[in-house]
Amino acid sequence: MKDHPKTEAREALIGPGHTIASITDKISEIVLAPLAKTPLGWHAVMGIASVGVIALVTTIVHLVTTGIGIWGNNIPVGWAFDIINFVWWIGIGHAGTLISAVLLLLRQQWRTSINRFAETMTIFAVACAGMYPLLHTGRPWLAYWLLPYPNTMGMWPQFRSPLIWDVFAVSTYATVSILFWYTGLIPDIATLRDQTRSKIARFLYGTLAMGWRGAASHWNRYETATVLLAGLSTPLVLSVHSVVSFDFAAGIVPGWHTTVFPPYFVAGAIFAGFAMVLTLALPIRAFYGLKDFITEKHLDNMGKVLLATGLIVTYGYAMEAFTCWYSGSAYEGYALQNRLSGPYGLFYWALILTNCTVPNILWWAPARRNIWILFAVSMSVNIGMWLERFVIIVVSLHRDFLPSSWGMYSPTMWDWGMFLGTIGFFVAAFFLFLRLMPIIAMFEIRLLVPKSGVTGKELPHDHDGGAHSSGAQGAGAPAMHDHASRS
Amino acid sequence: MAAPKTTAIHGLLAEFDKPEALVEMARQARAEGFTKIEAYSPMPIHDLDEALGLKNKLPLFVLFGGLAGMAVGMGLEYWTSVIEYPTNIGGRPHFSWPAFIVPMFETTILFAALTAVFGMLIMNGLPQPYHPLFHVKRFAEATRSRFFFLIEAEDPRFDLAGTREFLARRKPLSIEEVPN
Amino acid sequence: MIEEQPIPSRATPQRADSAPSDVGTALPELAGKSGAAFWQSLEEVSGTERFQDFLRREYPDQAEKMLDEPERRTVLKLMGASLGLAGLAACTKQPEERILPYAKNPESTVPGLPLYFATAMPWARGSIGLLVENHQGRPTKIEGNDQHPSSLGATDSIAQASVLELYDPDRSTTILQRGRLQTYDDFLTELRTALNVQDAKKGAGLALLVPTIVSPTFARQMREVRELYPRARIVQWEAIHRDEARAGAIAAFGKDVMPACDFDKAKVVLALDSDFMGGGPEGVRPTRDFTKHRKVRKGQTAMNRLYVVENAPTVTGMMADHRLPLRSRDVENFTRALAKRLGIDVKTSASTSPQHDAWIAAVAKDLQSNTGASVVTTGDWQPAVVHHLVAAINEKLGNVGKTVRYLPPVDCLPQDKSQVETLRELAAEMNAGRVEVLIVLGTNPLFDAPADLEFAQAIAKVPLKIHNGLFLDETGIQCDWHVPGAHFLESWGDARAADGTVSIVQPLILPLYGGKSAIEIANAMLNKGGESAYEAVRATWQKDRPDAFETNWRRWLHEGLVPNTAAGAVSGTAKAVSGAATEAATGIEVVFRPDPTIWDGRFANNGWLQENPKPATKITWDNTVQIAPALAKRSGLETGDVVDVSVGGRTVRGPVWVSPGHADNSVTLHVGYGRTRAGHVGNDAGFDAYALRTCDATWNTVGVQLAKVGETIAIASTQEHVDYDIVREEVKKRQILRVRTVDRFAADPHSLDVEDRHHEEGETDWYKKAVQREIDNGSRPVGDYQWGMVIDLNACTACGACVTACQAENNIAVVGKDQVLRGREMHWIRIDRYFEGPEDAPRLHSQPIPCMHCENAPCESVCPVGATQHSPEGLNEMVYNRCVGTRYCSNNCPYKVRRFNFLLYSDYVTETLKLQRNPDVTVRSRGVMEKCTYCVQRINLARIASKRDQRRIREDEIVTACQQVCPAEAITFGDIADAKTAVSGLRAQPHEYGLIEELNTKPRTTYLAKIRNPNPELETA
């Protein structure tokens, strides 16, 4: 039960002077504010993002009507931006599930104020990721052939292919993430239903809330379901990026065929995910004045996660290089040499700088609480993780076994259109959510309120939950429930 | 709640501003022998589970869900690639079980997760667009800051005056009749 | 420049320019009109010049370019317009077999089964006999005629591509008088009137310009023309002429003879700047003969040895055991020095480097120890004296009569002057205004005549100019009359081979556009307008061989040659070589050579040839300024830099190609590019090197200036330009090419194996057992045949015929320069080229790469939809219909033999191209993967036959397209399960190996290692 040292736990995870009522109002007002009151900044961001969305739509139309020849892909580089961005987005998505599931199981209470945030990020990141495998095929209108369904051709998917594993993993991941996310939203939507003054809003939220009333019996099953989902999501999230890494590890291309891929892809995903959470959280926190809920302690913890995963990833690179050399294989050997000093060598060194060097500043405690440094580091990692995929995919493919078939790759405007387009789509969707749904899980935050009406008792939550709550019950006082004590 | 309405009202609703008051109320009501009772709170309160004696079987269902998923996954793969349409793929055996583990794993998770969510909703009788409590204005606070306790009129020990007096003993902020 | 690269519109017809390229802009009269008004206005403008111009083209110019953004509406408009106009003009005759149903099934045609007809492809230095595959009246595929001495069943890539030329939509389709539509009768009338004028003056004002005449019938007609018009000029012109060889022969023997070398009898061959294995159809037979003794097998200790002295790498040079890069200019002195050493009394020049002396000493010794069993040969581009010297050397070595025979020249109408000379006279005559009627038959002097003749100005002075050719080309457009030519596949004729053997050229299809062959035009001139080419040819031979003519005629047509027409050897001893050695001028020389793929430019509009990578450089769609690495370093040039090449006040501008193994201080320019009226494919590709060529220097000149312009051009080479040393090292490490000397091989045949060969332990036990179990319980069928292929690297000359043959057989799309630049060429078989040793004088190796049909195919296990699977007979099959195009298979293919339709490459629009397609092979659409199938359609054809007769497939029954075409017989295909087949025999050879086999892919296509036969004395040096 000694999940983390007391000193850390003692630090409040929520600003002083909050009651559960004030929390509810503060968070729901972001959503319930009348349209006219929507901040200008929000409109600005939406404006920019929608440009991206338009670019995305244009690209997709041209792509489907003309063929993926509009991209820079070629033989030998059959995969490029399409799969790079697929992996990049999927990776980003992982932080959400990690925060909402793994940290839940680890009883990390600091997760509560950022988990909604992260889960939402997951959903839209996975949506962006999902577009690529679909559209990168030569004949996207036949992509449904990857699904196992009875058909007159009598044909079925070829289950030895890592791409089929992808289909299963990613679709499962998307489904479970959405379920998890929506389940988490239900009580808060109910709050909005009861708080809103607009009839339409009440009808819509009412529909979505499905008649949630916060009955004790409901809470009871609800809690069970959440914990079970958390338990299921954890192996799932680990499997998804392992499977993604199989796309390469299961291939024979020098630079792909590596056993270290699954673990370091997973670490990389968490790395990338937390970076993206910070990238989004820092501005929004400042913008909507949520400093009371996303406190410096949160930033500090995220900084630590970033540092830790960064080190794992660095280790991954090291092992990769080592095995290339140790294998004594001419192909692996050259793959390494080509990464370090080939025509794309710069990308590799940029990757080392952004992913392995920069995050080390987070060893220094003040850096973890300085939003500017954190933001800089998170951006560096976002870029670094993209470079990592570029190095793995393009740099491995462009010079493989037969020197005669070596080639080069350069993206076209349509590659960029698609990439920036998905980013635009992601931001737009996220900001839409921001305006329509509570960005912080109110019902969970309520559990963190110091003395939320409970007199004379120390709140169980603010040490390692379960231990104390049970103790508290012994004292006959009511215990605020936190999920952890169930698991 | 599906039981036929025998009374004019749905029940009596007491409002509290402190969770432990609600918990205490629940304990008392159960001690008094009331059976058709329910507590409402803006956030989960652990002690209510034992105060109201709540249990649920969800974990069991989820286990079976998962096992079903596993069977379906591997079954599909075996049937399609060994029985229905075996083909020579790169000289690999028809039943390449190491490769088949991955999809099987994913279907296991998928089925389990679906069972968890929909099991929870079904057992909670959700979605439920209409509920008498929604007639009570103050009940809106149940999802914000207040704690409510309901004794239904269908409860055999329910009588309007007596029950109201029983509730009043706990000094709630208010007691309301919930119309049907 | 790249953007401006024209693209075969037939390869990508729907990719039109987004610029406002519609009928409106092409014909302003039509702008804004539509419906009835549109048609009316068409009538109105149909007379205008611009309309005619518009009409002549399949699409308006703007439709040519391939851009990334197709303007679909524009394209639709264009097609609509094109069709409308075609209908209006009603001029393009549809080939009849498409529109006439069989009332009675023609004798011996079985729908679905092809027929084969023997014919021949006329060629200036010796025609080649062909068998043409004919599907329901459509010639679809060219094969060699194994009866024919210059083919023996093989062809080169030009002959292969001639079928595409037949169906080229850019061929001229209408008879035009100064741009106006006319009928053939109009033409005949005008011709007649003009000739009547000439009758009076015995044809003093009449001139004919024709290619080198290899047709006895046409020669006969020309003689008759001479009788009618004694003073008429008949000028034969080939840009790739043999004037020097002719002069050399005359100097040596007093008369023109052509040396015919029997390379199969030679132990040692010395090629002095001679590409005897290249050069189109004429290279086929020498390749066959030479490679006969390259196919080293177990226990064999001897093979022939080839020395090559040349300035730029050619297929011959790539085969050399010892290759000496030498300025083309210096070959004379080299030869003199060699002759001297061989004891021939000739003057030599002082200047030969010690390195050369060592070389000469070694070669001389080798030649002397093989007297009577050696061949020394030189190229047509070497000066007369070298030919004379070579004659003397062969005589000295006692090769004459043994390995070297002298035959009368191929020309059926020998001239007393050199071609350049006669052309120069013609130009002079025209300038003097003494030529009143010029009839140009199938030549294109305005493109390929020496620049100093200023032919364009000369021809302008001729009152009546008549042009007959397949295309309305640079010359045709300047002539008053243009009569569409008839392709050799659609007209009657006859043609002589290098050894004199005559074949009857029989048409495979009626003229697609009512074209007229030169023979028909000649008939018209001879007042025999009524007589058809068919009758003309028969007349010639009836006269020549009257007895049992009808019977023989049928036999000749059937066999594809007229027996006993081969010329007998001419005896004669070479006179002594007099005259001093010409001091080799210092400075940079420029060397003109025919292009390895499009020859002298006449095939510039042939997409197959344009996209067939040049053997040594792997360049497509371009010619370059080829220079040595040393020269490049000195003058600070890199591949792709655009330079001005100027000599004698003339300048051409082109991109540099730094070519390892190229001679220093030498610049090689391939002619034939820079066409302006070739058609959509050939226009504006490359630069016109003819612009530097003058009458006195048609092959070679010195004092060249290279001036860097500052821009660069992307050159579409199918082998990416990678650091020379890296590639060399990696290729060695990876054992991709295994090379041994014949001595080492004889001593230790297995020295070529790499230790982890066939890596069985790569498979775990359960895996093996599981597969075995499935085989036992029948759930994994194993075919009666197991197909496999063995390629002998020692025989392959990298000529590239297999690439074109595969393209023709399998309906492979042409993608255009832009797509090749992006690495998207579609060839199912490619020929890799590697260098070994120093950049200045490397050894060149080549390796054909079709699909390996791996038994443990990495591509199959990663396909998510099972679109690529293994057949029971071991074929790695591609199911186009099932493919969704993830390209994972290509990523996972270690050999990168898979090709992806990134865009809609196949032409679904152009009618004539549809006629060419092989009906047994799917035309692949956009978004699917494709690759070599081992010609599965041929396998199945044989299987059907064998099942019908209830027997096994015979070994010789299945021949893949690449195997069939290969002049070197380097490719062997067959059933590897049957130990008696040739392919099994080769797989049992000690030097057989699989590419990257340590991956345990178990390739079905394997290689026989390259065995060199170096001269010990030179090997050390």
Side-chain angles (χ1 to χ4, degrees), chain C residues 505-637:
Chain C
V505 177
Q506 53 174 343
L508 274 290
I509 187 172
L510 281 174
L512 289 172
Y513 311 111
K516 302 291 175 194
S517 68
I519 290 180
E520 285 166 294
I521 303 288
N523 266 343
M525 294 175 65
L526 294 166
N527 253 330
K528 301 188 202 156
E531 182 184 277
S532 70
Y534 175 66
E535 289 154 343
V537 176
R538 282 171 59 90
T540 314
W541 292 98
Q542 194 133 30
K543 189 146 157 297
D544 192 59
R545 309 196 162 192
D547 46 339
F549 176 72
E550 284 308 329
T551 343
N552 288 333
W553 174 258
R554 291 179 67 87
R555 206 172 90 248
W556 300 339
L557 291 186
H558 172 264
E559 287 169 3
L561 52 82
V562 184
N564 321 325
T565 39
V570 184
S571 61
T573 50
K575 302 199 191 73
V577 183
S578 54
T582 43
E583 275 311 318
T586 51
I588 304 174
E589 71 170 356
V590 64
V591 173
F592 304 100
R593 290 282 185 271
D595 186 85
T597 57
I598 65 164
W599 195 239
D600 60 4
R602 75 183 69 173
F603 302 111
N605 206 49
N606 192 313
W608 292 353
L609 293 175
Q610 284 280 16
E611 204 147 295
N612 189 353
K614 327 245 180 238
T617 59
K618 297 295 151 197
I619 297 172
T620 63
W621 290 100
D622 262 318
N623 60 337
T624 55
V625 178
Q626 262 194 69
I627 58 174
L631 177 56
K633 278 191 203 69
R634 278 206 307 282
S635 41
L637 293 171

Side-chain angles (χ1 to χ4, degrees), chain A residues 116 182-192 212 219 222 442-443 446, chain B residues 42 143:
Chain A
R116 168 75 40 81
Y182 183 63
T183 316
L185 271 169
I186 292 174
D188 286 359
I189 298 176
T191 307
L192 295 178
W212 179 267
W219 276 123
Y222 180 89
M442 295 186 277
F443 82 92
R446 291 189 190 111
Chain B
T143 56

Side-chain angles (χ1 to χ4, degrees), chain C residues 112 138 150 232 303 347 368 393 435 487 706 857 918 950 969:
Chain C
R138 307 178 284 109
S150 56
M303 64 186 272
K347 312 254 184 328
Q368 275 161 330
I393 292 173
V435 178
H487 193 268
L706 293 180
N918 180 350
Q950 297 177 352
E969 290 181 314

Side-chain angles (χ1 to χ4, degrees), chain A residues 134 137-147 149 153, chain C residues 865 880-885 926-928:
Chain A
L134 172 67
T137 60
R139 308 198 286 174
W141 51 90
L142 297 179
Y144 66 91
W145 284 353
L146 273 76
L147 303 173
Y149 70 101
M153 297 175 285
Chain C
V865 291
Y880 306 126
N881 296 0
R882 179 68 177 171
C883 178
V884 299
R926 171 192 137 198
V928 303

Side-chain angles (χ1 to χ4, degrees), chain A residues 48-58 420-422 424-426 428-429:
Chain A
I48 298 162
S50 14
V51 175
V53 177
I54 292 163
L56 180 64
V57 175
T58 320
L420 301 178
T422 45
F425 169 80
F426 177 78

Side-chain angles (χ1 to χ4, degrees), chain B residues 82 85-98, chain C residues 766-767 770-771 774 779-780 855-857 860-861 868-870:
Chain B
V82 179
Y85 195 166
T87 52
N88 180 351
I89 300 293
R92 274 50 162 192
H94 295 324
F95 184 52
S96 308
W97 58 266
Chain C
W766 76 268
Y767 178 118
V771 171
E774 288 165 10
S779 64
R780 179 180 295 259
E855 289 174 12
N856 297 342
E860 292 175 5
S861 56
T868 178
Q869 307 191 340
H870 233 68

